[in-house]
Amino acid sequence: MASPATRGRLITLEGIEGVGKSTNLRFIADRLAAAGIPFITTREPGGTPLAEEIRALLLAPRDEAVSRQAELLLMFAARAQHVTNVIAPALARGEWVLCDRFTDATYAYQGGGRGVPQASIAWLEDYVQDALRPDRVFLLDVDVATGLARARARSGAGDRFERERVEFFERVRAAYLARARADGRRYCVIDAGGDLPAVQRDLGVALDALIAEARREVSGG
Ligand code: Z5A
């Protein structure tokens, strides 16, 4: 049932590995629930049965080299399913969509990390998403050494991406920060290097401002 309090919004969490996206997604979900805002949580790549199968293909370590074109197209194949079957319908119902990674990850990982031209990503973004873009991107930012240490402490050998070299993640982080600098209205950069209570204090302030803005929009204030 759509909330009369706000229109649906697409909120995404981004950042390099181990930055705390999953941990903080739960924090944001609790905050939205407390505010009485209807929402779903989801993730990319994934979010539908077929997209989750594509995720498994993308993350599995393998001997065969994966071309950057194949990786890019698989990301967008999963996204097409996710947008069509999950995200767009939820927004149409007036729900907020809280998504662990979205197309900014493609600009950062396939663009910054792998060197795919931005124009190719932008073309696929338009084709798959039409005008759909996140209303707010929470970019959790931490230095690469800290992020990787957290991720590796948690998950051992890691997936195909986690096995990349430090320089790859430096390029990914730089691409994220460049996007945030280029669009300060849509991005909110949170310093994720501190302890969790400090990170969630900053995130909570930013989220409360977003909720208040959404309510003002509906009340015409
Ligand atoms: N990918 C891509 O290339 N292109 C795309 O378009 C998309 C994705 C959409 C899978 O994503 C891979 O897909 C990803 C990019 C690529 N590459 N990798 N790897 P993913 O989001 O599923 O994978 P991930 O980045 O590895 O996410 P994650 O493992 O869930 O990490 P996280 O969510 O950022 O971290 P976390 O699990 O919340 O926290 C990690 C640990 O740190 C955990 O033990 C926490 O308790 C701890 N933690 C968190 N915050 C703190 C603080 N503040 N202090 C101390 N410890 C903390």
Side-chain angles (χ1 to χ4, degrees), residues 140-157:
L140 301 177
D141 181 55
V142 77
D143 64 88
V144 170
T146 304
L148 291 185
R150 284 184 194 163
R152 284 171 185 161
R154 190 206 46 194
S155 61

Side-chain angles (χ1 to χ4, degrees), residues 15-24 26 43-45 55 59 71 75 79 100-107 109-110 150-151 154-155 159 161-162 169 192-196 199:
I16 60 168
E17 342 304 292
V19 78
K21 295 178 310 301
S22 310
T23 307
N24 288 301
R26 291 190 290 276
R43 70 173 181 182
E44 288 212 347
R55 176 190 178 90
L59 297 193
E71 186 175 279
M75 289 294 174
R79 186 161 298 133
D100 190 340
R101 296 194 186 282
F102 194 58
T103 309
D104 285 286
T106 311
Y107 281 102
Y109 281 79
Q110 283 65 54
R150 284 184 194 163
R154 190 206 46 194
S155 61
D159 62 35
F161 289 93
E162 287 168 348
F169 293 107
D195 62 15
L196 203 50
V199 173

Side-chain angles (χ1 to χ4, degrees), residues 10-14 19-33 39-44 82 96-102 138 140 196 199-200 203 207:
L10 175 57
I11 310 297
T12 63
L13 271 99
E14 297 283 1
V19 78
K21 295 178 310 301
S22 310
T23 307
N24 288 301
L25 189 127
R26 291 190 290 276
F27 169 78
I28 296 176
D30 290 346
R31 202 84 167 208
L32 292 182
F39 66 93
I40 62 165
T41 61
T42 185
R43 70 173 181 182
E44 288 212 347
H82 193 210
W96 288 34
V97 176
L98 187 48
C99 191
D100 190 340
R101 296 194 186 282
F102 194 58
F138 288 115
L140 301 177
L196 203 50
V199 173
Q200 295 188 339
L203 204 47
L207 191 62

Side-chain angles (χ1 to χ4, degrees), residues 160-202:
R160 198 169 56 80
F161 289 93
E162 287 168 348
R163 294 177 176 202
E164 286 293 339
R165 299 158 62 91
V166 167
E167 302 80 63
F168 174 84
F169 293 107
E170 295 287 4
R171 294 198 299 277
V172 171
R173 182 185 183 208
Y176 269 132
L177 289 172
R179 287 182 65 73
R181 272 195 304 276
D183 188 356
R185 195 198 57 78
R186 212 161 55 85
Y187 288 80
C188 176
V189 182
I190 303 281
D191 178 359
D195 62 15
L196 203 50
V199 173
Q200 295 188 339
R201 201 167 42 245
D202 291 350

